[in-house]
Amino acid sequence: MPLTNGHIKSSTINLSAVQPKLDFSTAVEVLSEEYPNGDGLDAKTLLDSKINGGLTYNDFLVLPGYIGFAASDVALESPVTKRISLKTPLVSSPMDTVTEHSMAIHMALLGGLGVIHHNCSVEDQAEMVRKVKRFENGFILDPVVLSPTTTVSEAKQLKEKWGFGGFPVTENGTLRSKLVGMITTRDIQFHPALDDPVTAVMSTDLVTAPSGTTLIEANAVLSKSKKGKLPIVDSDGHLISLLSRSDLMKNLHYPLASKLPQSKQLICAAAIGTRPEDKFRLQKLLDAGLDIVVLDSSQGNSLFQIEMIKYIKDTHPELDVIGGNVVTRAQAASLIAAGVDGLRVGMGSGSACITQEVMAVGRPQAAAVFNVSTFASRFGVPCIADGGIQNVGHIVKGLALGASTVMMGGLLAGTTESPGNYYVSHEGQLVKAYRGMGSIDAMEEKKAGAVPGNLAKKSSAGTARYFSEGDRLLVAQGVSGSVLDRGSVTKFVPYLVAGLQHSLQDIGVKSLAELRQGVLDGEVRFELRTVSAQAEGNVHGLHSFDKKLYS
C-alpha cells in the first residue's frame, strides 16, 4: 500500500486560492516586474521626520541583499577629511577617559584614528602628539642624536623619556654631522659607571646605507642585517636619517596602519577649543607634528568656531580641520562655508551625555547623521557620526546613513589603552572610570589650564566645549560613571572590523562607497522597528545566557 501522508499529490492544500501557480523559474522576472520598488523603505522615506519622527539607530534595520563574495573581500577604506582617508572607519573620541597617546597610537596602527583630548595642559597634549608621531617612521628625519660627551646616565634618561634606547652618536651631537657610533639599550643596560661617556660603550661596527637609498632598499638592507637601526649617511659619512627595525616589524604586524605616505609616520589628530588662547595651543601641537585638528564644541555653529576655522585655513592651509558638533543642515552649511575639511555629527546622543535631557536641544542621531551627511557630501565634506554607538550594528547604521567614519567614546573607554586604572565595582566586576566632557568632574579638571585653584574650571576643555567658562555656577551636560573592561583595542577593534565586514556582506555590498551609493540610489532598503520588533531582535525567551561577543 503506497504511503500518501505528506505526499504533494495527495494534498488538497492550495497556497493561493485566488492566484494561479506560476513557473518557479520566472520568480526573478516576476519580482522585478510586479514589485519594482522592492521591500522596505528607502533612506529618504525612512528618515522623513514628518512621517516617522526623529529616529535613532535602534528604530530601524537594514534589509539584507545578495551575498556573492567573502566577508574578507569587503573594503572599509573611507575618508575622514577631504584629504585623508582611513583603512578602518573608526575614530576614538577626544575625551579625557578615552584618548591619550596610547589609544591614538593603537587606533592608528589598526587603521583608524585617535583624537587626543585637550582637557590637559598644552605641554602635556603636545607631548602626547609627539609620542604618536615618533612611534613609527619610514626614514626618521629628525632622530635623537647624541654627542661623544653624552654620559651613560644621560642616555638612560633619554631612553626613559622617549621609550626607545637606540641613538646615533655624531661628532657634534647633531644631524648632518659625521657618524661615529651607535648606542643601544644593551650597551648601557648594565654599565656600572654612569658618568662614562657613551663613546666608552657605543658600537662602532656599523651597517649603513648611502643617501639616496629608497625605503624599500633600506628595509631590505635592514632585514638582512642583525642590527636594530640602519643609519643613512652621505658620501662624507654624515648622518642624514635613520631607519629602525622596530618600524619594519610594525609594518608586518599592522598592514592597515593609518600613515602619511611621505613620512610613514602614524596620522595624529588632536582636539582644541575655540578660545583665543587655543591658537597658542594649536601652534604647539603643530610643532609636535599634528596632522588633523578637531574643533571641540557641543554646538559648532558659533561665531567663535567659524572665526577659528578661517584663522586656521588662512595661517595653516596644510592642516586639515574637523568642525562640529552639528545636527542640522543649517549648522553644517555655516562650517562648510568657513572651510572645514570634515564634520562631527551628534548632539546629546553619547552614553555619558545629558544635553538633550537638560538643555532640550539636540537631535536623534540617525536623523542627524542622514540629514547632515547627505548635505555635506554635495560639497565633498566627510562626516563623522559621533555618539550613540553601542555595538557593531550601530556602526553599520551610521555608515549606511552617510557617515564616512564613526566616533566612539564609551565603547572604547573600558579598553586597556584608555587612560586611567581598572578597579573592581561593588558587584565584583572589573571596570574603568568614564565620564562625559560635560560632567562636573571634567569641567573642574585642574590639569587643563595654567590657572590655579577654583579658577581652573574657566580654562578646562569641559567648560570651553559647553561655553561655560564665565559661569559662576556650572550646569552639567554629562555624567560620570564606569564601563566594563573590554580588554585591549588590539582585539576589540578587529572584532568591530570583522563584524562590519560581515554586516556589509549580508547587505550585499563590497565597500563603504558601494553602501553609500546603494543607499542614495534606493537599492539598499530599510525597515522601521516597532518596540515589539526591537524586543524580538534581542535575546529573549532564555532562562539564562552568556553573551560572549568574540573569541
Side-chain angles (χ1 to χ4, degrees):
M1 180 178 179
L3 296 175
T4 59
N5 185 32
H7 196 276
I8 191 67
K9 290 183 178 179
S10 66
S11 174
T12 58
I13 298 174
N14 187 4
L15 295 178
S16 176
V18 179
Q19 296 178 328
K21 185 164 63 174
L22 303 178
D23 181 0
F24 70 89
S25 64
T26 64
V28 175
E29 289 79 3
V30 171
L31 177 68
S32 60
E33 291 173 4
E34 299 186 16
Y35 304 89
N37 294 328
D39 289 293
L41 306 170
D42 62 80
K44 188 174 181 180
T45 304
L46 174 75
L47 275 303
D48 190 336
S49 299
K50 296 176 183 177
I51 300 174
N52 298 319
L55 301 184
T56 190
Y57 294 139
N58 285 334
D59 294 325
F60 67 94
L61 287 171
V62 187
L63 295 184
Y66 170 73
I67 297 177
F69 50 89
S72 58
D73 293 337
V74 174
L76 300 179
E77 185 168 358
S78 190
V80 67
T81 68
K82 291 177 180 177
R83 295 183 288 193
I84 297 176
S85 64
L86 307 174
K87 294 291 179 61
T88 303
L90 305 177
V91 182
S92 66
S93 180
M95 303 172 73
D96 60 5
T97 51
V98 178
T99 309
E100 291 188 348
H101 65 275
S102 180
M103 179 67 76
I105 287 170
H106 286 87
M107 287 297 293
L109 287 174
L110 295 165
L113 182 70
V115 184
I116 297 172
H117 74 87
H118 62 120
N119 207 24
C120 57
S121 69
V122 175
E123 293 74 18
D124 287 346
Q125 191 182 19
E127 182 62 21
M128 286 189 272
V129 171
R130 201 170 288 113
K131 287 180 178 178
V132 176
K133 297 305 294 182
R134 282 190 175 273
F135 186 80
E136 185 173 354
N137 300 272
F139 288 117
I140 305 171
L141 302 178
D142 58 343
V144 179
V145 183
L146 307 186
S147 73
T149 59
T150 304
T151 65
V152 171
S153 175
E154 290 170 335
K156 285 188 173 184
Q157 291 173 13
L158 287 170
K159 180 184 181 301
E160 289 297 320
K161 177 181 179 180
W162 295 111
F164 53 86
F167 305 108
V169 182
T170 65
E171 286 182 345
N172 298 332
T174 61
L175 197 65
R176 301 191 180 278
S177 176
K178 190 173 181 62
L179 180 68
V180 295
M182 287 288 301
I183 281 290
T184 68
T185 302
R186 292 185 298 274
D187 295 327
I188 61 176
Q189 194 167 25
F190 300 112
H191 191 72
L194 298 181
D195 292 332
D196 281 356
V198 291
T199 51
V201 293
M202 71 182 184
S203 302
T204 56
D205 180 22
L206 305 179
V207 175
T208 64
S211 178
T213 303
T214 67
L215 184 59
I216 295 175
E217 292 169 343
N219 278 331
V221 174
L222 186 60
S223 62
K224 292 177 182 177
S225 72
K226 296 182 179 180
K227 306 294 183 180
K229 299 286 193 297
L230 178 68
I232 308 299
V233 297
D234 63 15
S235 57
D236 296 323
H238 295 159
L239 180 66
I240 302 300
S241 61
L242 198 66
L243 197 66
S244 173
R245 178 176 289 272
S246 63
D247 292 328
L248 186 60
M249 298 308 297
K250 290 167 192 171
N251 285 332
L252 293 174
H253 295 152
Y254 300 102
L256 300 178
S258 303
K259 294 186 286 190
L260 295 174
Q262 62 273 22
S263 67
K264 302 300 181 183
Q265 290 180 321
L266 296 180
I267 296 173
C268 182
I272 64 170
T274 56
R275 301 164 297 183
E277 55 265 37
D278 283 299
K279 295 176 182 178
F280 171 75
R281 180 183 288 266
L282 175 63
Q283 187 58 56
K284 290 294 184 181
L285 298 180
L286 283 169
D287 293 342
L290 187 68
D291 303 303
I292 302 171
V293 65
V294 176
L295 300 183
D296 193 26
S297 175
S298 63
Q299 212 283 52
N301 188 22
S302 69
L303 171 67
F304 316 107
Q305 183 159 151
I306 291 171
E307 288 183 347
M308 182 64 86
I309 294 168
K310 292 179 178 178
Y311 165 78
I312 296 173
K313 301 310 290 185
D314 286 341
T315 56
H316 308 288
E318 76 288 351
L319 181 66
D320 282 14
V321 183
I322 295 176
N325 282 34
V326 298
V327 292
T328 69
R329 288 186 289 265
Q331 286 179 298
S334 298
L335 304 189
I336 292 170
V340 289
D341 301 295
L343 287 170
R344 284 170 73 189
V345 181
M347 189 174 184
S349 56
S351 59
C353 186
I354 56 173
T355 296
Q356 292 183 11
E357 173 189 345
V358 174
M359 301 299 166
V361 177
R363 196 175 196 180
Q365 187 66 349
V369 170
F370 179 74
N371 284 282
V372 173
S373 61
T374 51
F375 177 76
S377 65
R378 300 176 63 185
F379 305 93
V381 177
C383 290
I384 303 172
D386 176 20
I389 302 296
Q390 300 172 26
N391 49 51
V392 177
H394 290 169
I395 295 175
V396 176
K397 292 174 183 179
L399 295 171
L401 295 181
S404 61
T405 54
V406 167
M407 182 171 278
M408 300 167 290
L411 201 63
L412 297 175
T415 59
T416 309
E417 291 75 14
S418 66
N421 298 316
Y422 288 105
Y423 63 94
V424 178
S425 68
H426 295 300
E427 293 79 22
Q429 295 175 304
L430 191 63
V431 297
K432 241 184 181 181
Y434 175 57
R435 66 189 187 189
M437 294 306 291
S439 66
I440 297 298
D441 289 344
M443 288 186 178
E444 292 183 337
E445 178 58 63
K446 292 180 173 58
K447 297 178 183 177
V451 290
N454 293 331
L455 296 177
K457 68 182 183 181
K458 291 189 176 182
S459 60
S460 77
T463 53
R465 189 175 200 276
Y466 294 91
F467 304 101
S468 302
E469 300 99 318
D471 295 353
R472 298 183 64 183
L473 179 67
L474 294 177
V475 178
Q477 295 190 47
V479 300
S480 299
S482 61
V483 289
L484 287 173
D485 168 40
R486 292 190 183 275
S488 173
V489 292
T490 57
K491 289 188 177 180
F492 186 63
V493 168
Y495 150 70
L496 298 178
V497 170
L500 181 54
Q501 288 179 311
H502 279 279
S503 178
L504 265 62
Q505 181 192 38
D506 284 342
I507 296 170
V509 295
K510 294 185 69 174
S511 68
L512 291 177
E514 190 177 335
L515 172 65
R516 286 189 284 268
Q517 192 60 49
V519 171
L520 289 175
D521 295 341
E523 295 175 2
V524 174
R525 311 289 287 182
F526 301 86
E527 192 75 90
L528 278 168
R529 300 174 82 191
T530 63
V531 175
S532 299
Q534 293 181 39
E536 178 188 65
N538 217 322
V539 180
H540 60 277
L542 300 183
H543 171 65
S544 63
F545 66 92
D546 181 19
K547 195 171 184 178
K548 188 175 181 181
L549 296 178
Y550 61 93
S551 63

